Amino acid sequence: MDDRDWELLRHLQADARLSFSELSRRVHLSPPAVAERVRRLEETGVIRGYHAHVDLARAGWTVVALIRMSCYGPRCVLRDPEVREWPEVFEIHRITGDACCVLKVAATSMEGFERLIDRLAPYGRPSSTMVLSTPVAWRPVVPPPSGP
């Protein structure tokens, strides 16, 4: 990836609805050149999709938590593809340490959160941490620092 690709990514991360003609004006390339670069970024998997950033609480998911799961072997939550489809599960991260994964989950109420914990219990020991606020909800990807 070169500086132009990063410049395109910076603009697309700020507003993925920009047209190729507007992007071309901002990065000083022709619209066909911009379209080709964006297509290449999509094909190589650098751009994985275009999404709206949704506020969970305003969308009705008022209880947000991180759940560490201590489960290994055939009954591990990571081995069950159905868990990935549960509407309460927004992210699953496989991790190192004394747990196998961390789930970012949300529920519409504490009762709903409690039911989610009960659904996870057969997979192993869930340990939850409630999210009180999110000072950094999202940030754009920037070029990694160069050098050692």
Side-chain angles (χ1 to χ4, degrees):
M1 288 184 31
D2 63 16
D3 290 342
R4 289 280 171 98
D5 289 335
W6 280 109
E7 191 175 2
L8 282 168
L9 285 175
R10 182 174 59 82
H11 288 290
L12 286 171
Q13 288 179 95
D15 184 358
R17 297 177 355 156
L18 291 173
S19 67
F20 287 150
S21 61
E22 178 60 22
L23 275 171
S24 71
R25 188 186 67 72
R26 292 183 185 196
V27 300
H28 309 292
L29 288 173
S30 69
V34 165
E36 175 59 26
R37 282 179 176 261
V38 170
R39 184 190 56 74
R40 185 173 30 85
L41 291 168
E42 291 169 345
E43 287 177 353
T44 59
V46 173
I47 296 176
R48 294 179 28 205
Y50 300 89
H51 313 280
H53 294 281
V54 177
D55 183 296
L56 286 172
R58 291 183 182 183
W61 298 95
T62 56
V63 178
V64 179
L66 303 174
I67 301 176
R68 292 172 48 95
M69 290 296 298
S70 295
C71 55
Y72 298 95
R75 199 59 190 136
C76 179
V77 71
L78 293 173
R79 297 185 188 275
D80 188 341
E82 289 184 19
V83 173
R84 298 172 194 180
E85 303 302 320
W86 293 0
E88 303 91 347
V89 176
F90 287 85
E91 297 175 16
I92 302 176
H93 302 276
R94 187 173 183 185
I95 61 171
T96 62
D98 61 350
C100 72
C101 62
V102 172
L103 290 72
K104 178 181 176 183
V105 302
T108 58
S109 66
M110 286 305 290
E111 292 80 15
F113 179 71
E114 188 174 352
R115 285 191 300 274
L116 176 61
I117 292 292
D118 291 343
R119 285 173 61 201
L120 287 168
Y123 294 96
R125 186 174 43 108
S127 175
S128 63
T129 302
M130 303 306 293
V131 174
L132 299 177
S133 66
T134 306
V136 179
W138 177 87
R139 62 184 304 173
V141 177
V142 299
S146 57

